[in-house]
Every structure is written in C-alpha cells, then in structure tokens.
C-alpha cells in the first residue's frame, strides 16, 4: 500500500491555503503572461534585436519594453505593437463550441 494521497482528496485544503479559486486563477494568468512574454523576448533575442531597438520602433522607452517582456502587457494593442516591432503580426481567433472564427490582423481595427 502506498502512502501517497490522491490530489482530489487534498485539493480543497490546498486551494483554501492558497487563497481560494479566484487567487489560483489570478496566479495562473500571471504565470502564463510571464511565460508568453519570455517566449517573445527569446524571439526578439534570436532575431538579433535589442530592447532599445524595439523601444525605438514602438515609440516607447527601453524600460517599457522590459516591462512587456516581464508580462506587464496592458492591452492587445501594446502586444500587437511589440510583436510588430520584433517582426511578427498578431492575429486574433475567436473560439466557440462549434468552431473558430479567425478575425485576422489584431491591429487592423486599431
């Protein structure tokens, strides 16, 4: 017999200790934003661009680029501008139960 406990048996206690479901969702989103930002920063570095060069293309400070690369993105427009500055294009897709709708270039409506 193993001494391991099933996650389903102890989850509620650990969720409560972490501050509840809402806090877990908030933390998960923060971690996901950081991971996405890290991947974009890697893409920038692999493309041979510095934060200063990206800042100049975006019309922002190097500090703001650093913030974006740490997951501090305030809007889709900011994200789209960053992605364009590193040579990409942000596209939006809406997902529904019965399929997806590709909305295209995220900056087209801005």
């Amino acid at each position: 017999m193993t001494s391991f406990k099933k996650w389903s048996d102890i989850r509620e206690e650990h969720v409560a200790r972490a501050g509840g479901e809402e806090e877990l969702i908030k933390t998960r989103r923060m971690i996901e934003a950081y991971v996405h930002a890290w991947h974009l920063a890697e893409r920038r570095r692999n493309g041979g661009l510095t934060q200063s060069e990206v800042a100049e293309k975006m019309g922002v400070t190097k500090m703001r680029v650093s913030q974006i690369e740490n997951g501090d993105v305030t809007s889709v427009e900011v994200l789209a501008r960053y992605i364009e500055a590193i040579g990409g294009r942000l596209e939006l897709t809406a997902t529904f139960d019965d399929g997806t709708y590709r909305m295209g270039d995220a900056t087209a409506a801005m």
Side-chain angles (χ1 to χ4, degrees):
M1 187 85 183
T2 179
S3 63
F4 296 111
K5 296 178 182 179
K6 288 180 167 180
W7 175 244
S8 58
D9 293 340
I10 62 172
R11 183 183 187 281
E12 187 175 325
E13 172 190 342
H14 287 279
V15 168
R17 196 177 320 152
E21 291 289 345
E22 292 296 320
E23 193 62 30
L24 285 179
I25 291 168
K26 181 179 166 185
T27 301
R28 182 178 297 121
R29 286 184 179 148
M30 181 186 69
I31 292 168
E32 288 172 351
Y34 182 80
V35 169
H36 291 309
W38 184 87
H39 283 287
L40 288 173
E42 264 307 281
R43 177 94 64 184
R44 172 190 58 78
R45 287 187 287 272
N46 289 340
L49 292 168
T50 66
Q51 285 184 337
S52 295
E53 291 168 329
V54 172
E56 187 175 324
K57 288 180 180 185
M58 290 180 69
V60 298
T61 64
K62 180 183 172 189
M63 174 65 79
R64 182 63 185 124
V65 171
S66 178
Q67 290 170 338
I68 292 166
E69 291 183 354
N70 281 295
D72 182 11
V73 179
T74 54
S75 69
V76 172
E77 181 183 9
V78 169
L79 185 58
R81 288 177 48 222
Y82 175 87
I83 290 171
E84 285 179 0
I86 64 171
R89 185 178 72 238
L90 180 64
E91 296 184 352
L92 296 176
T93 303
T95 304
F96 301 94
D97 290 339
D98 61 348
T100 59
Y101 174 72
R102 183 174 170 273
M103 299 171 70
D105 190 341
T107 58
M110 294 178 199

